[in-house]
Amino acid sequence: DEKEKFEPTVFRDTIVQGLNEAGNDLEAIAKFLDAAGSRLDYRRYADTLFDILVAGSMLAPGGTRIDDNDKTKMTSHCVFFADEDHDAIRNYAQV
């Protein structure tokens, strides 16, 4: 039996790149996440996925982002960067 490597940073890079390529269209983001779900292990990397969708990058214990201000490791298509509007937050929640 071979064990799969646990590589959350590779997963993060793949998700962030796809979100950034999808642009500001939440419909395109939802389609990307749906299509990527067939080849990426969302269950295994659920914490990382949640961090990205809420905070825009992976979080370290204590809540600080692990991106070293590298724009390729973070996305602005997340809840923290959404407009402070009930409808905008609801749309992100639906994604």
Side-chain angles (χ1 to χ4, degrees), residues 66-84:
I66 308 173
D67 55 33
D68 302 323
N69 290 323
D70 184 352
K71 299 294 182 188
T72 63
K73 297 179 181 180
M74 54 191 268
T75 183
S76 62
H77 309 299
C78 62
V79 174
F80 282 7
F81 288 102
D83 293 334
E84 293 184 27

Side-chain angles (χ1 to χ4, degrees), residues 6-19 29-30 32-59 73-75 77-80 92-95:
F6 184 69
E7 297 178 338
T9 55
V10 173
F11 177 82
R12 176 207 52 207
D13 294 344
T14 304
I15 294 293
V16 166
Q17 179 183 6
L19 292 177
I29 289 172
F32 162 74
L33 291 172
D34 188 39
S38 64
R39 64 183 202 290
L40 298 175
D41 191 356
Y42 284 169
R43 286 186 184 182
R44 184 177 192 151
Y45 300 108
D47 292 338
T48 304
L49 179 63
F50 186 76
D51 289 349
I52 294 167
L53 294 176
V54 173
S57 186
M58 285 175 47
L59 298 177
K73 297 179 181 180
M74 54 191 268
T75 183
H77 309 299
C78 62
V79 174
F80 282 7
Y92 275 95
Q94 289 176 348
V95 168

